Each structure stands twice: as C-alpha cells, then as structure tokens.
Amino acid sequence: EWGKVCEKVYDALHGRYCKMILDIDPEYYYEGYVSCSSSKEALETSEMEIEMDAFPYKRRNTKYHAEYQVSGSRTVTIMCDRMPTAPIFTASNTMTVEYDEYMQSISNDETEAEFEITEGENELTFKGNGKVTIEWDGGMF
C-alpha cells in the first residue's frame, strides 16, 4: 500500500518546479525543484524524504502595493525586504520615474522597472501628472 502512495507522490512532485508553503510560515513560500527519495528500510516504516533545491529567498505570498498622486514631481519612499526586486509601475498618464542614476518612462500599461530596488528605504521620484501604482515582491532568507 505504501509503495502505491510513494508512486503517487513521486509522480506529482519529483523533478518538478513547485511552490512550497510551510505550516509554520504561511505568509511566505519557497520555490524550486523537488526531489523525492525513500530507502527499502523507509518503505517498511512508511517514510519518504522530500527535498527542494530552492531559490535563495523565501517570498511573500502577497505583493506590496502603493498608490500615489503625482502633480509635477513627487518623491516617495518605499521599503524593500532583503530580496532585490524590480517593481511594476502603472500610471494613469505617461510619466517618468527616477531611481539613483536610472530614469524610465512609464505609462498606463504595466511597466516593469529596468532597475531593482534593494533592502531598506528606496526613494523614487515621479515626474508628470496623474496617479501611479507600484507593486513589488518581498522576500528574505
């Protein structure tokens, strides 16, 4: 009976790229390739080992989200977790965003930043008129 259960688990997980949420940390997930193994002795005790070669950061299940009104120029500060990430911008009108030495045009289509924000406070300066929405991932070790 246990052998059949092992086959189903192997078929469902082994060698696949998956997301894994742990009961003890439900706000984050891990993602990576899964491998399954069990020895003959483990078959007798109904044990199986499941391992994941995971991405180096655990990632938030929900993205950060912020909206701002821009009239001419506006600098905003957003906080980033340890994992560097490229934010996604959506603007009601065409405008620009500046971060460090980067300057990028954004519009009402989702625009992925050509730069990554890093751990801690990040200042973004928007120039134009309208509403801008920012979404970004979070993750930590």
Short mmCIF file of all heavy atoms in Angstrom, two decimals, residues 103-140:
data_model
loop_
_atom_site.label_atom_id
_atom_site.label_comp_id
_atom_site.label_asym_id
_atom_site.label_seq_id
_atom_site.Cartn_x
_atom_site.Cartn_y
_atom_site.Cartn_z
N MET A 103 16.54 56.47 -15.14
CA MET A 103 15.34 57.22 -15.45
C MET A 103 14.58 56.41 -16.50
O MET A 103 15.16 55.95 -17.47
CB MET A 103 15.65 58.61 -16.00
CG MET A 103 14.39 59.44 -16.17
SD MET A 103 14.73 61.18 -16.39
CE MET A 103 14.79 61.26 -18.15
N GLN A 104 13.28 56.23 -16.25
CA GLN A 104 12.49 55.36 -17.11
C GLN A 104 11.11 55.96 -17.32
O GLN A 104 10.51 56.50 -16.40
CB GLN A 104 12.38 53.98 -16.45
CG GLN A 104 11.62 52.97 -17.24
CD GLN A 104 11.61 51.61 -16.55
OE1 GLN A 104 12.32 51.37 -15.58
NE2 GLN A 104 10.81 50.71 -17.07
N SER A 105 10.60 55.83 -18.53
CA SER A 105 9.24 56.27 -18.85
C SER A 105 8.26 55.17 -18.47
O SER A 105 8.53 53.98 -18.68
CB SER A 105 9.14 56.57 -20.35
OG SER A 105 7.84 56.98 -20.67
N ILE A 106 7.13 55.56 -17.88
CA ILE A 106 6.08 54.59 -17.53
C ILE A 106 4.75 55.10 -18.07
O ILE A 106 4.57 56.29 -18.30
CB ILE A 106 6.01 54.34 -16.02
CG1 ILE A 106 5.80 55.63 -15.24
CG2 ILE A 106 7.25 53.64 -15.53
CD1 ILE A 106 5.61 55.44 -13.75
N SER A 107 3.82 54.17 -18.31
CA SER A 107 2.52 54.55 -18.88
C SER A 107 1.41 53.76 -18.19
O SER A 107 1.62 53.13 -17.18
CB SER A 107 2.53 54.27 -20.38
OG SER A 107 2.65 52.87 -20.60
N ASN A 108 0.21 53.78 -18.82
CA ASN A 108 -0.91 53.08 -18.21
C ASN A 108 -0.87 51.57 -18.42
O ASN A 108 -1.71 50.86 -17.90
CB ASN A 108 -2.25 53.67 -18.67
CG ASN A 108 -2.44 53.55 -20.18
OD1 ASN A 108 -1.57 53.09 -20.89
ND2 ASN A 108 -3.60 53.96 -20.64
N ASP A 109 0.09 51.07 -19.17
CA ASP A 109 0.33 49.63 -19.23
C ASP A 109 1.25 49.29 -18.06
O ASP A 109 2.03 50.12 -17.60
CB ASP A 109 1.05 49.24 -20.54
CG ASP A 109 0.16 49.46 -21.75
OD1 ASP A 109 -1.06 49.29 -21.63
OD2 ASP A 109 0.71 49.81 -22.82
N GLU A 110 1.19 48.04 -17.60
CA GLU A 110 2.13 47.63 -16.56
C GLU A 110 3.54 47.71 -17.12
O GLU A 110 3.82 47.16 -18.18
CB GLU A 110 1.84 46.21 -16.07
CG GLU A 110 0.61 46.12 -15.20
CD GLU A 110 0.46 44.75 -14.57
OE1 GLU A 110 1.21 43.81 -14.90
OE2 GLU A 110 -0.43 44.62 -13.72
N THR A 111 4.41 48.42 -16.44
CA THR A 111 5.79 48.60 -16.87
C THR A 111 6.72 48.09 -15.78
O THR A 111 6.70 48.60 -14.66
CB THR A 111 6.09 50.09 -17.13
OG1 THR A 111 5.13 50.62 -18.04
CG2 THR A 111 7.49 50.28 -17.68
N GLU A 112 7.52 47.08 -16.11
CA GLU A 112 8.50 46.57 -15.14
C GLU A 112 9.71 47.49 -15.14
O GLU A 112 10.19 47.91 -16.18
CB GLU A 112 8.93 45.15 -15.48
CG GLU A 112 9.86 44.57 -14.44
CD GLU A 112 10.16 43.09 -14.66
OE1 GLU A 112 9.55 42.46 -15.54
OE2 GLU A 112 11.04 42.58 -13.95
N ALA A 113 10.18 47.81 -13.95
CA ALA A 113 11.34 48.68 -13.82
C ALA A 113 12.57 48.05 -14.46
O ALA A 113 12.74 46.84 -14.44
CB ALA A 113 11.62 48.97 -12.34
N GLU A 114 13.41 48.90 -15.03
CA GLU A 114 14.67 48.45 -15.61
C GLU A 114 15.76 48.41 -14.54
O GLU A 114 16.93 48.26 -14.85
CB GLU A 114 15.07 49.38 -16.76
CG GLU A 114 14.06 49.35 -17.90
CD GLU A 114 14.29 50.46 -18.92
OE1 GLU A 114 15.18 51.32 -18.72
OE2 GLU A 114 13.55 50.47 -19.92
N PHE A 115 15.38 48.56 -13.30
CA PHE A 115 16.29 48.55 -12.17
C PHE A 115 15.66 47.72 -11.04
O PHE A 115 14.49 47.38 -11.11
CB PHE A 115 16.56 49.98 -11.67
CG PHE A 115 15.31 50.74 -11.35
CD1 PHE A 115 14.68 50.61 -10.11
CD2 PHE A 115 14.73 51.59 -12.29
CE1 PHE A 115 13.53 51.30 -9.81
CE2 PHE A 115 13.56 52.29 -12.00
CZ PHE A 115 12.96 52.14 -10.75
N GLU A 116 16.47 47.41 -10.04
CA GLU A 116 15.96 46.69 -8.86
C GLU A 116 16.09 47.57 -7.63
O GLU A 116 17.11 48.25 -7.47
CB GLU A 116 16.75 45.40 -8.62
CG GLU A 116 16.49 44.33 -9.65
CD GLU A 116 17.20 43.02 -9.34
OE1 GLU A 116 18.31 43.06 -8.76
OE2 GLU A 116 16.62 41.97 -9.67
N ILE A 117 15.06 47.54 -6.80
CA ILE A 117 15.17 48.20 -5.51
C ILE A 117 15.80 47.19 -4.55
O ILE A 117 15.73 45.98 -4.77
CB ILE A 117 13.81 48.71 -5.01
CG1 ILE A 117 12.76 47.60 -4.95
CG2 ILE A 117 13.33 49.86 -5.88
CD1 ILE A 117 11.42 48.03 -4.36
N THR A 118 16.43 47.70 -3.51
CA THR A 118 17.18 46.84 -2.60
C THR A 118 16.70 47.01 -1.16
O THR A 118 15.86 47.87 -0.87
CB THR A 118 18.69 47.17 -2.69
OG1 THR A 118 18.87 48.55 -2.39
CG2 THR A 118 19.24 46.87 -4.07
N GLU A 119 17.25 46.21 -0.28
CA GLU A 119 16.83 46.18 1.12
C GLU A 119 16.84 47.57 1.76
O GLU A 119 17.79 48.33 1.59
CB GLU A 119 17.76 45.25 1.91
CG GLU A 119 17.40 45.11 3.36
CD GLU A 119 18.32 44.15 4.09
OE1 GLU A 119 19.39 43.79 3.56
OE2 GLU A 119 17.95 43.76 5.20
N GLY A 120 15.77 47.88 2.47
CA GLY A 120 15.68 49.16 3.18
C GLY A 120 14.85 50.18 2.42
O GLY A 120 13.98 49.83 1.62
N GLU A 121 15.15 51.45 2.68
CA GLU A 121 14.41 52.55 2.07
C GLU A 121 14.90 52.82 0.65
O GLU A 121 16.10 52.86 0.40
CB GLU A 121 14.56 53.82 2.89
CG GLU A 121 13.93 53.74 4.25
CD GLU A 121 14.06 55.04 5.03
OE1 GLU A 121 14.77 55.97 4.58
OE2 GLU A 121 13.45 55.13 6.11
N ASN A 122 13.95 53.02 -0.26
CA ASN A 122 14.26 53.32 -1.66
C ASN A 122 13.45 54.55 -2.07
O ASN A 122 12.23 54.54 -1.97
CB ASN A 122 13.89 52.14 -2.56
CG ASN A 122 14.74 50.93 -2.29
OD1 ASN A 122 15.77 50.75 -2.92
ND2 ASN A 122 14.34 50.10 -1.34
N GLU A 123 14.15 55.59 -2.53
CA GLU A 123 13.47 56.81 -2.96
C GLU A 123 13.25 56.78 -4.46
O GLU A 123 14.21 56.61 -5.23
CB GLU A 123 14.28 58.04 -2.58
CG GLU A 123 14.19 58.37 -1.12
CD GLU A 123 14.77 59.74 -0.79
OE1 GLU A 123 15.31 60.42 -1.70
OE2 GLU A 123 14.68 60.13 0.39
N LEU A 124 12.00 56.96 -4.86
CA LEU A 124 11.62 57.01 -6.27
C LEU A 124 11.03 58.39 -6.53
O LEU A 124 10.18 58.85 -5.76
CB LEU A 124 10.58 55.94 -6.60
CG LEU A 124 10.95 54.50 -6.26
CD1 LEU A 124 9.73 53.59 -6.43
CD2 LEU A 124 12.08 54.02 -7.14
N THR A 125 11.46 59.03 -7.60
CA THR A 125 10.93 60.34 -7.96
C THR A 125 10.15 60.21 -9.26
O THR A 125 10.69 59.76 -10.28
CB THR A 125 12.06 61.38 -8.12
OG1 THR A 125 12.78 61.48 -6.88
CG2 THR A 125 11.50 62.75 -8.48
N PHE A 126 8.87 60.62 -9.19
CA PHE A 126 7.99 60.56 -10.36
C PHE A 126 7.80 61.97 -10.88
O PHE A 126 7.62 62.92 -10.10
CB PHE A 126 6.64 59.96 -9.97
CG PHE A 126 6.75 58.53 -9.52
CD1 PHE A 126 6.90 58.21 -8.18
CD2 PHE A 126 6.72 57.49 -10.45
CE1 PHE A 126 7.02 56.90 -7.77
CE2 PHE A 126 6.84 56.18 -10.05
CZ PHE A 126 6.98 55.88 -8.70
N LYS A 127 7.81 62.10 -12.20
CA LYS A 127 7.58 63.39 -12.84
C LYS A 127 6.47 63.23 -13.86
O LYS A 127 6.53 62.33 -14.71
CB LYS A 127 8.86 63.92 -13.50
CG LYS A 127 9.91 64.28 -12.47
CD LYS A 127 11.15 64.88 -13.07
CE LYS A 127 12.12 65.21 -11.94
NZ LYS A 127 13.38 65.69 -12.43
N GLY A 128 5.46 64.08 -13.74
CA GLY A 128 4.29 64.02 -14.61
C GLY A 128 3.06 64.37 -13.80
O GLY A 128 3.15 64.95 -12.72
N ASN A 129 1.90 63.98 -14.31
CA ASN A 129 0.65 64.26 -13.63
C ASN A 129 -0.24 63.04 -13.70
O ASN A 129 -0.36 62.40 -14.75
CB ASN A 129 -0.08 65.45 -14.28
CG ASN A 129 0.67 66.75 -14.07
OD1 ASN A 129 0.86 67.17 -12.95
ND2 ASN A 129 1.12 67.35 -15.16
N GLY A 130 -0.86 62.71 -12.57
CA GLY A 130 -1.78 61.58 -12.52
C GLY A 130 -1.48 60.67 -11.35
O GLY A 130 -0.76 61.02 -10.41
N LYS A 131 -2.07 59.50 -11.40
CA LYS A 131 -1.91 58.52 -10.34
C LYS A 131 -0.92 57.45 -10.80
O LYS A 131 -0.96 57.02 -11.95
CB LYS A 131 -3.26 57.88 -10.02
CG LYS A 131 -3.21 56.87 -8.89
CD LYS A 131 -4.60 56.37 -8.51
CE LYS A 131 -4.97 55.22 -9.41
NZ LYS A 131 -6.21 54.54 -9.02
N VAL A 132 -0.05 57.02 -9.89
CA VAL A 132 0.87 55.94 -10.18
C VAL A 132 0.68 54.85 -9.13
O VAL A 132 0.50 55.12 -7.95
CB VAL A 132 2.35 56.41 -10.23
CG1 VAL A 132 2.82 56.91 -8.88
CG2 VAL A 132 3.27 55.31 -10.73
N THR A 133 0.68 53.60 -9.61
CA THR A 133 0.57 52.44 -8.75
C THR A 133 1.89 51.68 -8.82
O THR A 133 2.44 51.50 -9.91
CB THR A 133 -0.58 51.52 -9.21
OG1 THR A 133 -1.79 52.27 -9.22
CG2 THR A 133 -0.73 50.32 -8.31
N ILE A 134 2.38 51.24 -7.66
CA ILE A 134 3.63 50.49 -7.58
C ILE A 134 3.34 49.15 -6.91
O ILE A 134 2.69 49.12 -5.86
CB ILE A 134 4.69 51.23 -6.75
CG1 ILE A 134 4.81 52.69 -7.17
CG2 ILE A 134 6.04 50.53 -6.84
CD1 ILE A 134 5.58 53.54 -6.17
N GLU A 135 3.81 48.07 -7.51
CA GLU A 135 3.74 46.75 -6.90
C GLU A 135 5.13 46.16 -6.90
O GLU A 135 5.87 46.32 -7.86
CB GLU A 135 2.80 45.83 -7.67
CG GLU A 135 1.34 46.13 -7.47
CD GLU A 135 0.44 45.06 -8.01
OE1 GLU A 135 0.92 44.15 -8.74
OE2 GLU A 135 -0.77 45.12 -7.74
N TRP A 136 5.49 45.50 -5.79
CA TRP A 136 6.79 44.85 -5.73
C TRP A 136 6.74 43.64 -4.82
O TRP A 136 5.92 43.55 -3.92
CB TRP A 136 7.88 45.83 -5.32
CG TRP A 136 7.83 46.38 -3.92
CD1 TRP A 136 8.58 45.97 -2.87
CD2 TRP A 136 7.01 47.44 -3.42
NE1 TRP A 136 8.27 46.71 -1.74
CE2 TRP A 136 7.30 47.61 -2.07
CE3 TRP A 136 6.04 48.27 -4.01
CZ2 TRP A 136 6.68 48.57 -1.27
CZ3 TRP A 136 5.41 49.21 -3.21
CH2 TRP A 136 5.74 49.38 -1.87
N ASP A 137 7.62 42.69 -5.13
CA ASP A 137 7.72 41.45 -4.36
C ASP A 137 8.52 41.69 -3.08
O ASP A 137 9.30 42.64 -2.99
CB ASP A 137 8.48 40.36 -5.16
CG ASP A 137 7.59 39.70 -6.18
OD1 ASP A 137 6.37 39.66 -5.98
OD2 ASP A 137 8.14 39.19 -7.18
N GLY A 138 8.34 40.79 -2.17
CA GLY A 138 9.15 40.81 -0.95
C GLY A 138 9.71 39.42 -0.71
O GLY A 138 9.10 38.42 -1.09
N GLY A 139 10.86 39.36 -0.12
CA GLY A 139 11.45 38.08 0.19
C GLY A 139 12.62 38.25 1.14
O GLY A 139 13.22 39.31 1.23
N MET A 140 12.90 37.17 1.86
CA MET A 140 14.01 37.20 2.81
C MET A 140 14.60 35.80 2.91
O MET A 140 14.04 34.85 2.38
CB MET A 140 13.55 37.72 4.17
CG MET A 140 12.38 36.96 4.73
SD MET A 140 11.65 37.61 6.25
CE MET A 140 11.93 39.31 6.21
#
